[in-house]
Amino acid sequence: MIRKGLWLTVSLIVFGGIFWLSLTVEYVDETYEGLLFQVGEGNEDLEEKVTVELDGEFINHMFSDERFEGTITIDGVTHPAETASADVLEITFVEDGFKSGNVSYIDHDGDALQSIGHLHLSDDFSELTLKMLRENIHSRAEIGSWTSDDGHVISAPASDREEGLEVLNRLVSPIFDGYEYN
């Protein structure tokens, strides 16, 4: 009986250790100087410099999808907004090998989903691309759509459209089998 209890205790310690060691939490406090632009031929007119801040924790666990819990601030507008039902965004990155996930939250009343767009991050957090579902990034209420012909993107770091497209394609192209935006 003592052997059985000892074996059970050792097994729990081993499995608990594996579970604990498989969990990594990395604090992210990054500020990016980037560019809001529009993809697609004939859409070269929009170029607006923006500042994006990520503040939160990137959580990686072998038994679940990677996720970011925190806030994203775009030119002074923090998401989730004060009207959100939670204080932090929870972005689940579902693509294997890529940090890519939807940025959305539920409003205070719990009856409306506020969707900002789709976030792509480099492994070292040095680059990001946010495919925006809003034509006006300074508006909380207006939600648009995104297409490869005319979608709005924030890429950082970038100071012009060419650099923004390079970051976008570097982060997104591997997910879409080499497709590149123009």
Side-chain angles (χ1 to χ4, degrees), residues 95-115:
E95 311 284 342
D96 282 339
F98 302 100
K99 290 181 176 69
S100 176
N102 289 319
V103 181
S104 57
Y105 56 90
I106 298 176
D107 73 2
H108 211 300
D109 299 328
D111 60 358
L113 179 68
Q114 300 295 319
S115 189

Side-chain angles (χ1 to χ4, degrees), residues 70-133:
T71 60
I72 295 178
T73 304
I74 303 170
D75 272 357
V77 177
T78 301
H79 303 281
E82 292 177 9
T83 59
S85 61
D87 293 339
V88 296
L89 291 171
E90 186 172 315
I91 305 168
T92 301
F93 298 99
V94 294
E95 311 284 342
D96 282 339
F98 302 100
K99 290 181 176 69
S100 176
N102 289 319
V103 181
S104 57
Y105 56 90
I106 298 176
D107 73 2
H108 211 300
D109 299 328
D111 60 358
L113 179 68
Q114 300 295 319
S115 189
I116 299 159
H118 199 80
L119 178 68
H120 303 270
L121 287 168
S122 62
D123 285 335
D124 63 357
F125 304 103
S126 64
E127 295 178 320
L128 70 77
T129 287
L130 182 57
K131 294 191 280 185
M132 302 294 295
L133 294 178

